[in-house]
Amino acid sequence: MKGTVGRRKTAYDRIWRIVRRIPRGQVATYGQIAALAGIPRGARQVGYALHALTDHSAVPWHRVLNVRGTISLRSEGAPETQRLRLEREGVRFDAAGRTDLARFQWGPTRRHPPGRSVLKRDRVPRRGRT
């Protein structure tokens, strides 16, 4: 059991380090952060790591959205806080509460095998395209 806690802490540290790199006015998805942290299919684990942050953490948790570009429900009051923080940074939402990932999604430079995008599964198709 002790080894599991240590691995989780290490994974959380990697997640928090990546989230700290998201610049003001940009967002990332849970799956994108998981891929960058080397945690395949780990979007939910990213959510757990962000939920584990203390109230006054310097990690900009509010810059992480779901793959649809919307705020995932957290605790009471958190969705409004998250949206307000993002809007103060210049991120815009449409009437349905979505942000345009093509415009606001952070695209970090990362080394990966040629021809393979680590963020491919996070891309949201635009309307009218398949």
Side-chain angles (χ1 to χ4, degrees):
M1 189 67 127
K2 200 173 197 178
T4 303
V5 172
R7 280 193 304 270
R8 182 173 34 229
K9 177 144 177 48
T10 302
Y12 281 17
D13 288 336
R14 283 196 322 265
I15 290 165
W16 296 332
R17 215 173 14 254
I18 292 165
V19 172
R20 279 190 199 101
R21 292 176 45 206
I22 306 169
R24 289 178 58 82
Q26 293 186 346
V27 297
T29 66
Y30 292 97
Q32 176 184 0
I33 299 300
L36 291 169
I39 307 167
R41 296 177 307 279
R44 189 168 291 182
Q45 187 171 358
V46 172
Y48 295 149
L50 296 179
H51 184 74
L53 291 168
T54 61
D55 287 340
H56 301 290
S57 171
V59 176
W61 60 268
H62 62 282
R63 296 181 186 147
V64 183
L65 301 175
N66 65 37
V67 72
R68 292 178 303 281
T70 61
I71 293 170
S72 293
L73 296 178
R74 293 174 56 122
S75 60
E76 191 172 311
E80 293 82 13
T81 300
Q82 185 173 8
R83 183 171 175 152
L84 286 172
R85 287 182 180 192
L86 287 170
E87 286 177 336
R88 270 188 254 144
E89 293 181 359
V91 176
R92 298 291 166 240
F93 291 85
D94 65 17
R98 287 185 306 261
T99 192
D100 181 2
L101 291 177
R103 179 175 176 196
F104 293 106
Q105 188 172 18
W106 173 54
T109 305
R110 177 179 157 93
R111 293 182 187 159
H112 54 273
R116 279 196 66 202
S117 169
V118 294
L119 307 178
K120 192 175 237 175
R121 71 185 177 120
D122 275 338
R123 294 213 175 104
V124 177
R126 291 181 180 225
R127 288 186 178 162
R129 296 183 188 173
T130 55

